Amino acid sequence: MSYTVSQVAALAPVSVRALHHYDETGLLVPSSRSDAGYRLYSDADLERLQQILFFRELGFALDVISGLMREPGHDREAALLMQRELLSERASQLHAMINTIDQALDTHDKGIAMNKEDMFEVFGNFDPAKHEEEVKERWGDSDAYVESARRTKKYTKEDWLRIKDEGAVVVEGLAARMEAGAGPDDEEVQRLAEEHRLQIDRNFYPCSKQMHAGLGRMYVADPRFAKTYDNVRPGLAQFLCDAILINAEES
Amino acid sequence: MSYTVSQVAALAPVSVRALHHYDETGLLVPSSRSDAGYRLYSDADLERLQQILFFRELGFALDVISGLMREPGHDREAALLMQRELLSERASQLHAMINTIDQALDTHDKGIAMNKEDMFEVFGNFDPAKHEEEVKERWGDSDAYVESARRTKKYTKEDWLRIKDEGAVVVEGLAARMEAGAGPDDEEVQRLAEEHRLQIDRNFYPCSKQMHAGLGRMYVADPRFAKTYDNVRPGLAQFLCDAILINAEES
DNA sequence: CGTAAACCCTCACGTTACGTGAGGGTCAAG
DNA sequence: CTTGACCCTCACGTAACGTGAGGGTTTACG
């Protein structure tokens, strides 16, 4: 099945001209042309387009998107996970903005002026220019998510089983200590938290304590990840997050 | 207290050049200049800037923002409420996009392809071009929020008390019927729902049944509004919303 | 009191991501 | 076989600034 420009434009929120533009710049070159020179988009082209649109929605410039999607080891799953992260970040950003509005409404009702810094604080985090660097930082020096995709590609089924078992040992250990009433600062819990970090570091991508802390926060903030741990024991995601943060602090 | 361009740029996520630009186009003209011709921004200017930034964040073009803020009867509170609405809409949009990603990840895992329409459906709602019209539509023919601001400006304290009492009668009536076990399709409940609409229509802005339905949905979707009703009786927001939707359907 | 660093101003041209025709083939329907 | 709906390739237009160029102003400090 293949689609012409107008069919794609009807399906996705993108103009015909934009498709021409993406073709010209090499961002999305249709995988074939008809005899008459008509652009024909395949299903795979549409998947690529979807990713482009997600990135665009997130405020990335087209050449940056181009770069991201050209990186060696880039794959759809890694990109989707990254986009998911960024989107949920953006969502909490929006909630913060809503809070700022509520605050503005309150102070407005009372006839008093708002603190100037609070007025704009909420915008700060989503500076598009700053964003690129921040992404690099958050995902590690050499783009952790790319690195991860690169490494995991070579893993065999046995590798995956081993990694899963290693992980299960840590998770079960944590769950047991939690049930035994230990706090997140418990010595054994701390050892397991550090082991958790090292597993990521060994198996997926270089993971500093700082990055690990970021992950920890994500485990509770992001239901998709929280579920992974809370399914083992309710409250485990929060417990692990606390433990990670304590482990990260002792630097 | 007044601020120079760089001070404003440090406070808010806006470049010096952008401030120049806003000045040139008349969107934000600083309320004074120093002897040397330096732009000096007052507190009021900063409030205006904050609003501009919210609108910009929402994807409005600068000339549209200019228009919105120039409309007669435009005031800060009305604008903030409108922005709040649009932001929370945007937030649920993002959550929908996250769901789409989850779906894409699932189908990807299973090695099957996703429905092409589902792939892009989620983007559709936030077409910036379409948005302007939609806003007009949602807020009524003559910009309900502007109309509301215009009318309420003339209200005296007594007007407000009367309106509040009128409203309380309806809300208490609804709460009583709900407690008595009536469903949202109960005859008396329907009468009260319609009265609720008429009160808005009389006191604030022309409110069609369709618009009323939009409001009803907002009462449950938006915690700020839900609270107003749930504080009277838990579950009342949902109850009212259901009643409104039923009332709206019989057109 | 001078002077350098740090700001500010006004042009004015550059850039990104398309919009919007102009001029001209292509294709299915009647 | 023609008409209307698509498609193509230029190519210039536009919005919202970015990025100097050239030149005053303010402030800190020696």
Side-chain angles (χ1 to χ4, degrees):
Chain A
M1 187 66 185
S2 63
Y3 310 80
T4 67
V5 274
S6 67
Q7 284 169 336
V8 175
L11 212 53
V14 69
S15 68
V16 171
R17 176 65 178 104
L19 289 172
H20 288 178
H21 185 64
Y22 296 163
D23 187 0
E24 280 164 28
T25 60
L27 178 56
L28 178 66
V29 180
S31 50
S32 68
R33 294 266 190 150
S34 77
D35 291 347
Y38 288 18
R39 273 165 259 256
L40 295 176
Y41 294 85
S42 69
D43 285 356
D45 292 339
L46 289 188
E47 286 190 359
R48 188 178 168 92
L49 175 59
Q50 187 196 32
Q51 283 195 35
I52 291 172
L53 292 178
F54 273 120
F55 279 125
R56 194 183 66 171
E57 184 71 28
L58 286 161
F60 288 90
L62 295 190
D63 57 351
V64 175
I65 298 179
S66 213
L68 280 170
M69 298 184 65
R70 232 199 306 279
E71 284 192 67
H74 164 94
D75 83 346
R76 189 164 142 79
E77 179 150 14
L80 284 170
L81 279 171
M82 176 185 178
Q83 289 166 343
R84 191 179 194 292
E85 242 301 89
L86 292 170
L87 281 172
S88 69
E89 212 175 296
R90 186 99 176 84
S92 62
Q93 243 259 303
L94 281 182
H95 288 299
M97 289 180 65
I98 290 174
N99 282 338
T100 301
I101 289 193
D102 286 348
Q103 219 177 313
L105 282 167
D106 275 6
T107 56
H108 181 81
D109 284 353
K110 294 182 195 140
I112 57 176
M114 219 178 137
N115 180 320
K116 295 308 164 223
E117 287 184 8
D118 292 349
M119 268 178 76
F120 298 104
E121 188 186 27
V122 76
F123 292 104
N125 298 344
F126 210 72
D127 193 343
K130 192 186 147 197
H131 212 62
E132 208 178 335
E133 282 175 40
E134 201 194 310
V135 168
K136 292 262 175 193
E137 197 181 314
R138 294 211 30 224
W139 291 84
D141 230 20
S142 60
D143 290 31
Y145 88 98
V146 171
E147 173 67 8
S148 175
R150 197 183 60 73
R151 285 202 214 171
T152 56
K153 235 169 201 164
K154 295 180 208 143
Y155 287 171
T156 66
K157 189 160 191 174
E158 278 152 48
D159 286 326
W160 283 113
L161 285 174
R162 178 183 49 75
I163 289 167
K164 199 180 148 196
D165 284 349
E166 277 180 27
V169 170
V170 169
V171 170
E172 271 306 324
L174 283 165
R177 295 300 299 156
M178 183 178 81
E179 274 190 333
D185 56 346
D186 175 83
E187 199 177 326
E188 173 67 2
V189 169
Q190 283 300 303
R191 197 190 60 73
L192 288 166
E194 176 64 5
E195 175 59 21
H196 180 266
R197 184 180 72 78
L198 292 173
Q199 282 181 6
I200 295 170
D201 195 75
R202 277 199 308 275
N203 296 322
F204 299 101
Y205 48 82
C207 181
S208 67
K209 290 205 173 183
Q210 198 196 333
M211 271 195 80
H212 196 215
L215 278 178
R217 269 186 280 265
M218 202 173 78
Y219 291 151
V220 295
D222 189 325
R224 189 186 161 89
F225 290 95
K227 220 176 53 186
T228 314
Y229 292 97
D230 284 341
N231 279 351
V232 177
R233 293 290 193 292
L236 186 56
Q238 185 65 58
F239 185 76
L240 174 56
C241 172
D242 293 344
I244 287 173
L245 291 179
I246 290 168
N247 182 47
E249 270 167 29
E250 305 163 353
S251 59
Chain B
M1 187 65 185
S2 62
Y3 309 80
T4 66
V5 274
S6 68
Q7 284 169 336
V8 174
L11 212 51
V14 68
S15 68
V16 171
R17 176 66 177 101
L19 289 172
H20 288 179
H21 186 64
Y22 297 164
D23 188 359
E24 280 164 29
T25 59
L27 178 57
L28 178 66
V29 180
S31 50
S32 68
R33 292 267 190 149
S34 77
D35 292 347
Y38 288 20
R39 275 165 257 258
L40 295 176
Y41 294 85
S42 69
D43 285 356
D45 292 338
L46 289 188
E47 286 190 359
R48 187 178 168 91
L49 175 60
Q50 189 196 28
Q51 285 196 34
I52 292 170
L53 293 178
F54 272 120
F55 279 124
R56 193 184 66 173
E57 183 71 27
L58 285 162
F60 288 90
L62 295 191
D63 55 353
V64 175
I65 299 180
S66 214
L68 279 171
M69 298 184 66
R70 233 199 305 278
E71 283 192 68
H74 166 92
D75 84 345
R76 189 164 142 79
E77 180 150 13
L80 284 170
L81 279 171
M82 176 185 177
Q83 289 165 344
R84 192 181 193 291
E85 242 303 90
L86 292 170
L87 281 172
S88 67
E89 212 175 297
R90 187 97 175 85
S92 61
Q93 242 261 305
L94 282 181
H95 288 299
M97 289 179 64
I98 289 174
N99 282 337
T100 301
I101 289 192
D102 286 349
Q103 218 177 314
L105 283 167
D106 275 7
T107 56
H108 181 83
D109 284 353
K110 292 181 197 142
I112 57 175
M114 218 178 139
N115 178 321
K116 295 307 164 225
E117 287 183 8
D118 292 349
M119 267 179 75
F120 298 104
E121 187 185 28
V122 76
F123 291 104
N125 299 344
F126 209 72
D127 194 343
K130 194 184 145 197
H131 213 61
E132 208 178 336
E133 281 175 41
E134 200 194 311
V135 168
K136 292 262 177 195
E137 196 182 316
R138 295 212 29 224
W139 291 85
D141 229 19
S142 62
D143 289 32
Y145 86 99
V146 170
E147 174 66 8
S148 175
R150 197 181 61 71
R151 284 201 217 172
T152 56
K153 232 169 203 164
K154 295 180 207 142
Y155 286 171
T156 66
K157 190 161 190 174
E158 278 151 48
D159 287 327
W160 282 114
L161 284 174
R162 178 181 52 73
I163 290 167
K164 199 180 148 196
D165 283 349
E166 277 178 27
V169 169
V170 170
V171 169
E172 271 307 323
L174 283 166
R177 293 301 299 156
M178 183 177 82
E179 274 190 333
D185 55 347
D186 176 82
E187 198 177 326
E188 171 68 2
V189 169
Q190 282 300 303
R191 198 190 59 73
L192 288 166
E194 176 64 6
E195 173 59 22
H196 181 266
R197 183 181 72 78
L198 291 173
Q199 281 181 7
I200 294 171
D201 195 75
R202 277 200 308 277
N203 296 320
F204 300 102
Y205 48 82
C207 181
S208 67
K209 288 205 176 186
Q210 197 197 335
M211 270 195 83
H212 196 214
L215 277 178
R217 271 187 279 266
M218 201 173 78
Y219 291 152
V220 297
D222 190 328
R224 187 185 163 91
F225 290 96
K227 219 177 55 185
T228 313
Y229 292 96
D230 284 341
N231 280 351
V232 177
R233 293 288 193 293
L236 185 56
Q238 185 64 58
F239 185 76
L240 174 57
C241 173
D242 293 343
I244 287 173
L245 290 180
I246 290 168
N247 182 48
E249 269 168 31
E250 304 163 353
S251 61

